[in-house]
């Protein structure tokens, strides 16, 4: 028995027949070929499978595909502004050496994108960022560089939003 679902993924609409117990992660990877989203623990503990569901980060291994019916999904493949340009958060992580084996990176990027857009982000300390990122595990233990990259991204963003940063 299958269910028909409509998924809006990275700006494209897909109508699929899925098993009622198929996770969003399984459908993204196996049916749509979006393998940038990684399966880590399969229990929602590691965050490697983080995607945005209606703009909020979720662990796609814990969301059934039928629960995502008619909702907007953004995966790591859908965040860059062009095929040649990385998303600014991705670029920051690369520039700060915050990517080691890269397995956790898609989940870290997806969580970070929502973190830096929070209204209170401009006042985040490094400890705040550690708390916000606590659902994303890095098996290489590269947390310090991830936190520093996100912190610096927020600080740079703040500078550019001040009158001095805009050259006014």
């Amino acid at each position: 028995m299958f269910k028909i679902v409509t998924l809006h993924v990275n700006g494209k609409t897909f109508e699929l027949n899925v098993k009622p117990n198929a996770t969003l992660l399984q459908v993204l990877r196996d049916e749509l070929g979006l393998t940038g989203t990684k399966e880590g623990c399969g229990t929602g503990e590691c965050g490697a499978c983080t995607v945005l569901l209606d703009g909020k980060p979720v662990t796609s291994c814990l969301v059934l595909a039928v629960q995502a019916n008619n909702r907007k999904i953004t995966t790591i493949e859908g965040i860059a502004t062009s095929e040649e340009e990385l998303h600014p958060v991705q670029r920051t992580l690369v520039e700060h050496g915050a990517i080691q084996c890269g397995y956790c990176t898609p989940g870290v990027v997806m969580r970070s994108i929502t973190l830096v857009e929070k209204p209170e982000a401009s006042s985040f300390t490094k400890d705040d960022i550690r708390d916000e990122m606590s659902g994303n595990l890095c098996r290489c233990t590269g947390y310090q560089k991830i936190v520093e990259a996100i912190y610096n991204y927020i600080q740079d963003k703040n500078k550019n939003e001040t009158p001095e940063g805009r050259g006014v």
Side-chain angles (χ1 to χ4, degrees):
M1 182 170 106
F2 289 87
K3 299 268 185 184
I4 297 174
V5 296
T6 302
L7 303 179
H8 307 283
V9 183
N10 300 334
K12 296 180 183 172
T13 300
F14 300 91
E15 189 170 293
L16 304 161
N17 288 317
V18 301
K19 293 179 182 175
N21 63 347
T23 66
L24 180 58
L25 174 65
Q26 291 168 327
V27 170
L28 291 172
R29 289 183 58 85
D30 302 339
E31 302 296 325
L32 300 180
L34 298 171
T35 56
T37 303
K38 305 299 182 199
E39 180 172 6
C41 65
T43 60
E45 298 288 327
C46 73
C49 65
T50 301
V51 298
L52 304 183
L53 184 62
D54 295 332
K56 296 184 177 163
V58 297
T59 48
S60 61
C61 69
L62 295 182
V63 176
L64 295 175
V66 294
Q67 293 173 305
N69 188 34
N70 284 316
R71 296 176 74 182
K72 182 181 171 190
I73 301 151
T74 306
T75 69
I76 192 74
E77 290 92 345
I79 61 165
T81 54
S82 73
E83 288 189 25
E84 295 83 31
E85 285 282 324
L86 294 175
H87 185 280
V89 169
Q90 287 176 302
R91 192 172 42 251
T92 296
L93 289 169
V94 170
E95 289 170 356
H96 286 83
I99 297 172
Q100 293 185 23
C101 81
Y103 200 83
C104 70
T105 303
V108 167
V109 169
M110 300 309 286
R111 176 86 53 190
S112 298
I113 287 172
T114 58
L115 185 157
V116 300
E117 294 301 323
K118 288 186 171 186
E120 68 272 24
S122 63
S123 63
F124 279 166
T125 64
K126 290 180 181 177
D127 284 340
D128 295 329
I129 294 169
R130 282 185 194 89
D131 287 345
E132 292 281 334
M133 298 299 294
S134 64
N136 290 78
L137 302 179
C138 172
R139 63 185 181 185
C140 303
T141 67
Y143 299 108
Q144 188 62 31
K145 290 199 178 229
I146 293 170
V147 170
E148 287 175 10
I150 296 168
Y151 181 79
N152 287 334
Y153 178 88
I154 291 170
Q155 296 305 307
D156 288 346
K157 186 177 171 192
N158 287 344
K159 286 180 196 168
N160 292 332
E161 291 178 355
T162 63
E164 296 82 26
R166 285 183 257 147
V168 175

